[in-house]
Amino acid sequence: MKKIGRKEFLHGNALPGTTALTFGCDIDANPVVPKSESELPPFPYLEVNESSNYNIGYKVGEHFRMQIQQLHERLMADKIYNPDSPFNGMSLTELLLALADSDPSRYYDTFLNAARVQFPEYIDELHGMADGSGIDFKIYFSSVCFLEIIAAMPGAQQMVNLNASVEGCSTVTLSDSGRLYFAHNGDFSTPHADLMYFVKVKQSGKPDFVGLNFSDTIMSLPPVVNSAGLVFCGSFTFRFSKQNMEIILWYSVQ
């Protein structure tokens, strides 16, 4: 399997801030301890040339099946521990699926229907990744929308507003001497840290793109650059962390 070294990516694609993938402000609360650059293996790499988004997703899901399934196992094993909480002993994945099943119109269908209207190609891609990796589509989509699902719980927004700490991602750009620098850290959680991968996509009639990817969501949430010169990165900036999320969830059912 072809791999891309971390320094090679940084120097070759002009996205220097990606070395900030040390995932996690609170090391003790995360299962993967951040490592120095010299300790990290190269990112696995795949090139895909397909006409449909479903086929692109399928090829990615099939090729990185091991990484995707391993991340799912980690997330399922990462349980909420709070004996006073009704969610004690559940993983976040189990919680999201339970909410989706309890009230689909509130916690699932509303997000899926909106995505189908606005971004049908992403839904096709997720279906392909789910079929290729053997992970249920509902798990994939719930993972994509987990912040929205949590925020839809009664009382969640009030608790979010009461929390003064910001533990979401950070994105910074810098223009200097005619060069543009782009930096991003992903400090919400560390289970992804050693299971990320590169994908370069070629699709007829659209710009090629290459970027880092998480194993449980659509491609190109971490930094990505395309052949038209556009650099993009998703950034979660919700004002709650994994630790006080338990408080939100407990408060929401009272």
Side-chain angles (χ1 to χ4, degrees):
M1 180 189 294
K2 182 177 179 182
K3 295 177 182 289
I4 290 185
R6 293 165 192 255
K7 287 184 178 179
E8 177 187 350
F9 168 68
L10 299 177
H11 296 163
N13 293 278
L15 299 179
T18 314
T19 48
L21 291 171
T22 49
F23 292 91
C25 299
D26 185 351
I27 294 177
D28 293 335
N30 292 283
V32 180
V33 177
K35 300 179 180 180
S36 68
E37 183 178 301
S38 62
E39 297 177 290
L40 292 169
F43 295 110
Y45 174 82
L46 174 68
E47 291 189 9
V48 179
N49 189 347
E50 293 287 344
S51 58
S52 74
N53 287 81
Y54 175 86
N55 288 342
I56 291 170
Y58 187 90
K59 288 289 183 67
V60 172
E62 181 181 49
H63 189 82
F64 294 111
R65 184 183 182 97
M66 181 274 292
Q67 286 91 340
I68 294 169
Q69 291 194 349
Q70 188 171 345
L71 176 61
H72 176 64
E73 291 173 3
R74 289 182 187 179
L75 294 176
M76 290 293 286
D78 188 15
K79 307 292 186 179
I80 295 171
Y81 178 71
N82 183 347
D84 297 324
S85 168
F87 306 106
N88 184 45
M90 296 178 68
S91 68
L92 179 59
T93 300
E94 291 170 321
L95 172 61
L96 295 175
L97 294 176
L99 289 172
D101 290 339
S102 70
D103 190 350
S105 64
R106 183 187 186 104
Y107 296 113
Y108 188 81
D109 293 343
T110 183
F111 304 119
L112 181 57
N113 293 337
R116 280 175 172 159
V117 172
Q118 298 295 327
F119 305 106
E121 65 273 23
Y122 293 154
I123 298 302
D124 290 343
E125 179 187 307
L126 276 181
H127 274 294
M129 293 180 71
D131 291 344
S133 66
I135 299 296
D136 188 83
F137 172 81
K138 196 169 189 177
I139 293 175
Y140 258 116
F141 190 75
S142 297
S143 176
V144 172
C145 297
F146 85 97
L147 290 173
E148 288 83 356
I149 292 173
I150 297 300
M153 297 183 71
Q157 193 58 49
Q158 291 91 317
M159 289 302 296
V160 170
N161 292 336
L162 287 174
N163 175 37
S165 66
V166 178
E167 300 215 10
C169 303
S170 301
T171 303
V172 178
T173 59
L174 170 66
S175 179
D176 180 55
S177 302
R179 302 190 67 178
L180 182 65
Y181 297 87
F182 182 97
H184 178 81
N185 72 343
D187 56 7
F188 189 84
S189 181
T190 65
H192 300 278
D194 60 332
L195 297 175
M196 298 180 73
Y197 50 80
F198 268 106
V199 175
K200 181 176 182 179
V201 174
K202 296 183 178 181
Q203 190 174 17
S204 178
K206 298 181 180 181
D208 300 347
F209 70 87
V210 61
L212 274 170
N213 297 279
F214 297 126
S215 298
D216 66 339
T217 186
I218 57 174
M219 290 185 288
S220 305
L221 279 180
V224 60
V225 59
N226 71 12
S227 57
L230 178 67
V231 178
F232 172 82
C233 183
S235 189
F236 293 131
T237 56
F238 277 62
R239 299 180 67 185
F240 57 83
S241 65
K242 177 183 174 183
Q243 290 75 24
N244 57 49
M245 188 183 296
E246 295 178 18
I247 301 175
I248 293 172
L249 298 177
W250 170 246
Y251 178 84
S252 299
V253 297
Q254 298 308 299

